[in-house]
Amino acid sequence: MSKASILAPANIAVIKYWGARDLDRTIPCNSSISMTLKECRSHTTVEVRPAGEADQIFLALDSGLEPAPLAFRDRAIGHLQQIRQAMGAKASFRVATRNSFPSASGMASSASGFSALAMAATQALGTPMSLRELSVLARLSGSGSASRSVYGGWVEWSAEEKDGAAIPLYDAAHFPLVDAVAIVESGAKEISSLEGHRRAIASPHFERRLELLPHRLQQVRQALDDRDIHALGRVMEEEAIELHLIAMSSKPPVFYWQPATIAVHRTVWALREEGFAAYFTMDAGANVHVLCPPEEASDVAIRLGQVEGVEKVIVDRTGDGPMPSAEHLL
Ligand code: DP6
């Protein structure tokens, strides 16, 4: 049976996808822009099986293969179903996957996991697809951020594209940065992004955010073009705080911050007073991603690690995007 393995990275958004026009088809209310990471990635093998067999999903642990937890299994099988439908394929699949980052590290794994699944499945079926088509397929998993993880460097998922595909803006070499992630909460978050998107539109600030975003997106594109960390960072922090303002004012509210989240914000501001070009952003969780130039990474990581409540710091950087792997997990 034919099989294929893919290594696909996570990404960190500087302009966030938050709120959907159509949550079932993962059509966002607004465009988002992200940086693809290098080391935090999913390694996924898909084996094509005869039609009619049940799909099987495994986690590849050091101790061997183990059936995936139910919720993850159902979501992965749902995505395989979308892939079968989109490609008119009749096959079944066996899948094994593992993440380079510990699963309880507090790093989101759906963007890397679902982009890896879409890419490995189509490759195992022997159907060559463009990255644009793969971006659309990854998005159909329900994890919108997965649409951005099929490319390296800096990526925009525009709300204007008819097919809902993300597009690459700049490759990693154009503007490489470090992402030092201060982990203040390592378990799974209580409220999923999916639920966050659902509640967001009830925030009285949501419409205003949509009015502000076109200008903010343009500022980010310009900052990336100019390789200007300060211009990027200012907008990125404003954006991250606003995402959480929307979450906190949703109905019912979604409150992700922990005391250590704020302590990290203050540390980043103190670092800037000292002359570091470090700026923060956050996903839907309590952890804080701090972007800075590579030459400042070790100092910034040490300082973040000293903040009370920070469990560990994961240091990653801009990456080149997914790649095939010769190592099959099945
Ligand atoms: C706050 O619906 O893509 O990270 O599947 O959990 O990754 P996951 O969520 P998704 O929403 C992402 C929400 C976000 C912002 C972003 O990455 O754009």
Side-chain angles (χ1 to χ4, degrees), residues 11-13 15-18 26 32 75 108 110-111 114 142-146 148 157 189 192-194 197 243 282-284:
N11 66 74
I12 177 67
I15 298 287
K16 312 290 183 182
Y17 156 44
W18 200 243
T26 326
S32 54
R75 208 168 159 199
S110 36
F114 287 111
S143 169
S145 52
R148 301 185 306 241
W157 179 29
K189 56 192 178 219
S192 67
S193 304
L194 204 64
H197 296 304
L243 164 88
M282 283 157 292
D283 275 342

Side-chain angles (χ1 to χ4, degrees), residues 163-181:
D163 59 359
I167 48 165
L169 291 178
Y170 295 100
D171 60 22
H174 171 78
F175 189 34
L177 293 178
V178 158
D179 178 11
V181 195

Side-chain angles (χ1 to χ4, degrees), residues 6-10 40-44 111-113 115-117 119 149 321-323:
I6 292 284
L7 293 165
C40 290
R41 56 193 187 183
S42 300
H43 181 175
T44 300
S112 55
S115 54
L117 186 59
M119 295 180 95
S149 266
M323 58 174 107

Side-chain angles (χ1 to χ4, degrees), residues 68-82:
L70 223 54
F72 175 72
R73 196 203 65 166
D74 289 350
R75 208 168 159 199
I77 291 178
H79 190 206
L80 290 173
Q81 189 51 30
Q82 298 268 16

Side-chain angles (χ1 to χ4, degrees), residues 12-16 179-181 233 236-237 239-241 243-244 265 268 279-283 287-291:
I12 177 67
V14 295
I15 298 287
K16 312 290 183 182
D179 178 11
V181 195
M236 184 177 82
E237 279 190 8
E239 163 70 2
I241 293 169
L243 164 88
H244 285 267
H265 296 164
V268 172
Y279 292 85
F280 66 76
T281 184
M282 283 157 292
D283 275 342
N287 302 323
V288 187
H289 292 247
V290 181
L291 268 55

